[in-house]
Amino acid sequence: MKTQPTESRSTPASKEEQKQHYFRFHIPHLHLASVYGDDWFALKAEAFARFFGTPVFLVAQTIIVAIWIGANVLGFTKFDVYPFILLNLAFSLQAAYAAPLILLAQTRQAERDKVHAMADAQHREALALANDQRLALAAQHSEQMITLLRQNTELTELTQHLSQRIEVLTREIHGKMLQENAKS
């Protein structure tokens, strides 16, 4: 007794196989290391650079600067008076570290985008090839269907012709039998 497979062989069985099947065009690029590596520093630097553009960072920085200026202007503290040299130094230090971190994050993202674009192009090419194969198969099936329909029509016409011939022969035999019965 033969058993029928529960799944077709073209669909992966496990979730891991499905994930690999989905990312089949990205898998060849896994060996590529990102420009600055995937070590702890590179990942944290990228996360920190991404944090610079968030509303949380901008609001927090604005609040800190407002408190800093307010405390020094109102005289609560005298550690950074009017030209706010220490505040300017803090902003310069922040800019000196922010610019390279942002460039690092942009470079890493550009590299990822490039690899994903290549994988997407391969995926589109595979889809186009599969579509062409489906169209060719559909055309072949259409031709086979037309051939079968033509053969069916020929068989139907032949069957009709033979049925008519049988009817004529049956009438002739019936007529001859009636003539022989009438003679006897």
Side-chain angles (χ1 to χ4, degrees):
M1 181 170 130
K2 290 185 179 179
T3 59
Q4 294 291 332
T6 56
E7 297 181 30
S8 68
R9 297 305 275 160
S10 63
T11 59
S14 70
K15 287 189 177 196
E16 184 61 32
E17 287 176 348
Q18 287 176 347
K19 184 178 179 183
Q20 286 179 351
H21 182 70
Y22 180 76
F23 290 110
R24 68 187 177 277
F25 297 104
H26 295 271
I27 290 172
H29 305 291
L30 289 178
H31 70 281
L32 296 175
S34 57
V35 178
Y36 293 99
D38 289 325
D39 61 347
W40 175 86
F41 177 77
L43 296 175
K44 292 299 178 187
E46 187 173 4
F48 189 68
R50 289 180 190 278
F51 176 70
F52 278 137
T54 63
V56 171
F57 174 79
L58 295 174
V59 169
Q61 182 176 1
T62 302
I63 290 172
I64 290 171
V65 168
I67 291 172
W68 183 293
I69 291 174
N72 283 292
V73 168
L74 296 175
F76 294 124
T77 181
K78 297 286 185 194
F79 66 89
D80 192 20
V81 289
Y82 169 63
F84 306 116
I85 298 194
L86 193 56
L87 183 61
N88 282 328
L89 180 62
F91 278 136
S92 296
L93 183 64
Q94 178 187 9
Y97 280 102
L101 291 176
I102 290 170
L103 287 174
L104 180 140
Q106 287 176 340
T107 303
R108 288 169 56 90
Q109 187 61 46
E111 193 67 25
R112 283 191 297 269
D113 291 345
K114 178 182 172 185
V115 169
H116 287 294
M118 288 173 26
D120 289 343
Q122 288 176 339
H123 182 67
R124 285 190 301 275
E125 288 173 10
L127 287 176
L129 179 63
N131 189 37
D132 290 345
Q133 290 172 347
R134 279 191 299 273
L135 289 174
L137 189 59
Q140 180 185 6
H141 287 160
S142 295
E143 288 176 17
Q144 288 175 347
M145 185 64 75
I146 290 170
T147 302
L148 289 173
L149 286 173
R150 187 173 11 86
Q151 289 173 351
N152 187 25
T153 303
E154 290 171 2
L155 288 173
T156 303
E157 289 172 355
L158 181 61
T159 303
Q160 181 184 9
H161 176 71
L162 290 174
S163 296
Q164 290 172 350
R165 183 69 181 138
I166 289 171
E167 183 181 348
V168 168
L169 289 174
T170 304
R171 286 188 184 165
E172 286 177 8
I173 291 172
H174 183 68
K176 285 184 183 184
M177 289 178 76
L178 286 177
Q179 286 176 359
E180 286 180 12
N181 281 342
K183 290 182 185 178
S184 30

